Amino acid sequence: MEKVSSTANHSVGEICIVCEQRKEKGIRIYTQFLCLDCEKEIIQTETDDPKYRFYLQQLKKITNREIYS
């Protein structure tokens, strides 16, 4: 009988606040996670690019505190 690693049942990484995908590498801003791919895209995007407004909208989630009941 072959043993299966206990980590096989656990997802690796965190959900990015911008792309909303699970990624392994990134930075934590306050209580949220930003993947390296999105960080790079945000830095390289000009402020007059329509994507920039989307990034700002997603980053506004950083100030939203989660309420646990």
Side-chain angles (χ1 to χ4, degrees), residues 17-46:
I17 192 170
V18 174
C19 66
E20 298 177 344
Q21 294 183 19
R22 188 168 297 279
K23 301 285 181 97
E24 289 185 40
K25 295 184 180 182
I27 60 173
R28 186 158 273 292
I29 303 173
Y30 190 51
T31 61
Q32 301 295 330
F33 176 77
L34 177 66
C35 74
L36 291 181
D37 297 332
C38 288
E39 177 189 11
K40 187 176 182 180
E41 282 294 315
I42 291 168
I43 291 169
Q44 294 176 350
T45 303
E46 297 293 329

Side-chain angles (χ1 to χ4, degrees), residues 52-63:
Y52 190 77
R53 191 172 290 269
F54 168 76
Y55 294 140
L56 287 179
Q57 198 63 33
Q58 293 299 92
L59 291 172
K60 285 180 182 180
K61 295 177 186 177
I62 292 172
T63 60

Side-chain angles (χ1 to χ4, degrees), residues 4-10:
V4 177
S5 173
S6 63
T7 58
N9 296 330
H10 301 289

